[in-house]
Amino acid sequence: MNGTDCAIMLVDDHAVVREGYRSVLQKQPGLRVVAEACDGAEAYRLFKSAKPDLVIMDLSMPGIGGIEAVRRIRQWDKAAKILVFTMHQNAGFAVQAIRAGARGYVTKTSPPETLVRAVMDVLAGKIAISPDIDHELALSRLSGESSAADVLTAREFEVLRLLLAERSTDEIAETLHVSPKTVANLHSLIKDKLGVGSDIELVRLALRQGLLTQVDLGEA
Amino acid sequence: MNGTDCAIMLVDDHAVVREGYRSVLQKQPGLRVVAEACDGAEAYRLFKSAKPDLVIMDLSMPGIGGIEAVRRIRQWDKAAKILVFTMHQNAGFAVQAIRAGARGYVTKTSPPETLVRAVMDVLAGKIAISPDIDHELALSRLSGESSAADVLTAREFEVLRLLLAERSTDEIAETLHVSPKTVANLHSLIKDKLGVGSDIELVRLALRQGLLTQVDLGEA
DNA sequence: CAACCGCCGGGAAAATTTCACGATCTTGCT
DNA sequence: AGCAAGATCGTGAAATTTTCCCGGCGGTTG
């Protein structure tokens, strides 16, 4: 599927950005944009009918986000080739994306050639990571910054997610059917494990690691 | 400057997005892209030499952000026409942008025609706000959601900024040369005025209102 | 089986948040 | 000028929360 025409699907909620993709990609012979979606749900639906050779996927989108869309598409077609193209210059997001089944991760700050190169690499079966993310990943390894998901147990992670999403300790206790005391204990333990002193730092860490996206906060 | 050629400068840190702008704009006769910048500082520098008729400006950029860039450009040229084009579908950001001197605010989710229309309107001397933001603004007025900056005094706002940026109460007290006790009192008062119960909600509110941008958190 | 670990919570000490109260200073109004 | 309002800063004490230490329960592993 490399030698001749390759069908590509674009997924991004910003029309102007899709216009940009198209402008960059159509300069490459052998690439055709056959479908466009503006959120994760539409991406999944269109993928099944269009069966593109490659998906270029944004992460931050309304409703079903990019990570979840990658997961669903890969579940439907284990061989799907998905290249994540996002503004998030963040090792945490990259790890999540690759784990979800993406074949590449390129940031939007990258020059167009990097995108084209990544498209070609992924089509050729390779994994494509843009240089800035390579660097981020290297740094996070060197500094031993264990991504929250690793150091926390499943339960702790669940509590953290609720702490960031819900309002009070008592509400979380009710959701989990445990005593408020337990939630408070977990809350404290989480801050300890993550090495933060205050809730504010906790939120900042979560944002940095991509546990929370800025759009999640709007619908509070 | 409307009838014939209009010189436009693009400011966005994502190359592919600039490509998208160009692709959309060049379909309009009479518009020429004469300069491109990828951060606020470069935008200010280039504006002074290129003197474009219109600037299309993104908000979230590394270093000097879009709001500050708008402010500086308007300070240098009171007649500068700047159209903010951003992903933030957020009344708070829009208010900040217009106060800083922008002549328009359009979100990236808008269809290309909306952008083109806004460009024309701003060039014609009008103020252009995209419909979704109009709606957001209306909602925020109706719900009486007073933007943090309004209900807080200057001092309180400063403390809030430090709370979100620095680490401990004591560090903030030292920076402000007041007793830690005062900072704690202010901290409490701020949460009261903003109607939030926990620090986590405080951060979420701040994010929603654009007091803190996601990029600010990276360099923590 | 014994040892360990995640999970759940009680109790008490420690720390923090909240509240009530002045004192001082600026600002705006008459 | 005189006065009222409110912003700022601080104190101290009460109320609440956070933190720490403890034990019990169930599952897994050596």
Side-chain angles (χ1 to χ4, degrees), chain A residues 13-17 19-21 23-24 27 85 87-88 108-112 115 163-167 198-201 203-204 207-208 212-214 217-218 220, chain B residues 13-17 19-21 23-24 27 85 87-88 108-112 115 163-167 198-201 203-204 207-208 212-214 217-218 220:
Chain A
D13 56 332
H14 299 146
V16 174
V17 178
E19 189 70 31
Y21 293 156
S23 172
V24 168
K27 288 172 188 159
F85 188 65
M87 60 172 294
H88 297 288
K108 283 187 181 171
T109 53
S110 307
L115 172 60
L163 277 170
L164 300 175
E166 304 231 0
R167 280 174 293 282
S198 69
D199 282 349
I200 290 178
E201 278 186 272
V203 179
R204 292 166 43 130
L207 276 170
R208 227 180 325 167
L212 199 62
T213 63
Q214 199 152 17
L217 299 161
Chain B
D13 56 332
H14 302 325
V16 173
V17 179
E19 190 69 33
Y21 293 155
S23 171
V24 169
K27 288 173 187 159
F85 188 66
M87 59 172 295
H88 295 105
K108 284 186 182 173
T109 53
S110 307
L115 172 62
L163 277 170
L164 300 175
E166 304 233 359
R167 281 172 294 280
S198 69
D199 282 347
I200 290 178
E201 277 185 273
V203 179
R204 291 164 47 129
L207 276 170
R208 225 178 324 161
L212 197 63
T213 63
Q214 199 152 18
L217 299 160

Side-chain angles (χ1 to χ4, degrees), chain B residues 36-65:
Chain B
E36 296 187 18
C38 53
D39 64 54
E42 191 183 2
Y44 181 54
R45 203 167 348 104
L46 272 179
F47 182 89
K48 292 193 284 191
S49 58
K51 293 274 273 162
D53 299 311
L54 176 77
V55 180
I56 298 181
M57 171 93 62
D58 187 21
L59 286 190
S60 30
M61 291 180 294
I64 295 174

Side-chain angles (χ1 to χ4, degrees), chain B residues 31-203:
Chain B
L31 300 183
R32 266 183 317 134
V33 174
V34 299
E36 296 187 18
C38 53
D39 64 54
E42 191 183 2
Y44 181 54
R45 203 167 348 104
L46 272 179
F47 182 89
K48 292 193 284 191
S49 58
K51 293 274 273 162
D53 299 311
L54 176 77
V55 180
I56 298 181
M57 171 93 62
D58 187 21
L59 286 190
S60 30
M61 291 180 294
I64 295 174
I67 299 277
E68 183 57 26
V70 170
R71 196 169 288 122
R72 292 197 192 178
I73 290 175
R74 282 294 304 257
Q75 197 168 352
W76 189 79
D77 174 6
K78 300 298 289 182
K81 288 173 176 166
I82 306 173
L83 172 62
V84 167
F85 188 66
T86 173
M87 59 172 295
H88 295 105
Q89 192 171 342
N90 178 315
F93 275 111
V95 170
Q96 279 188 59
I98 299 295
R99 280 196 192 146
R103 301 289 192 90
Y105 191 100
V106 177
T107 58
K108 284 186 182 173
T109 53
S110 307
E113 310 87 64
T114 302
L115 172 62
V116 172
R117 174 66 183 275
V119 166
M120 294 309 184
D121 281 353
V122 171
L123 280 172
K126 288 189 269 190
I127 297 283
I129 308 285
S130 65
D132 47 353
I133 290 296
D134 263 341
H135 186 242
E136 279 279 317
L137 283 168
L139 276 184
S140 72
R141 285 298 168 212
L142 286 175
S143 69
E145 184 175 311
S146 38
S147 83
D150 294 335
V151 52
L152 298 181
T153 68
R155 191 58 158 178
E156 286 159 354
F157 195 77
E158 172 75 0
V159 171
L160 174 56
R161 208 178 53 73
L162 290 172
L163 277 170
L164 300 175
E166 304 233 359
R167 281 172 294 280
S168 74
T169 297
D170 293 310
E171 284 173 314
I172 295 172
E174 198 178 345
T175 357
L176 294 179
H177 304 293
V178 298
S179 113
K181 190 73 197 211
T182 300
V183 177
N185 277 334
L186 267 300
H187 184 175
S188 178
L189 183 60
I190 289 167
K191 286 200 290 183
D192 188 45
K193 279 196 178 182
L194 296 181
V196 298
S198 69
D199 282 347
I200 290 178
E201 277 185 273
L202 187 64
V203 179

Side-chain angles (χ1 to χ4, degrees), chain A residues 1 58-59 68 78 168 202 219:
Chain A
M1 73 177 74
D58 188 21
L59 287 191
E68 183 56 27
K78 300 298 288 181
S168 74
L202 187 63
E219 57 203 350

Side-chain angles (χ1 to χ4, degrees), chain A residues 13 28 40-41 50 60 65 72 87 106 117 135 144 146-147 159 168 176 180:
Chain A
D13 56 332
Q28 292 297 318
S60 31
R72 293 195 191 178
M87 60 172 294
V106 177
R117 174 65 182 276
H135 187 242
S146 37
S147 83
V159 171
S168 74
L176 296 178

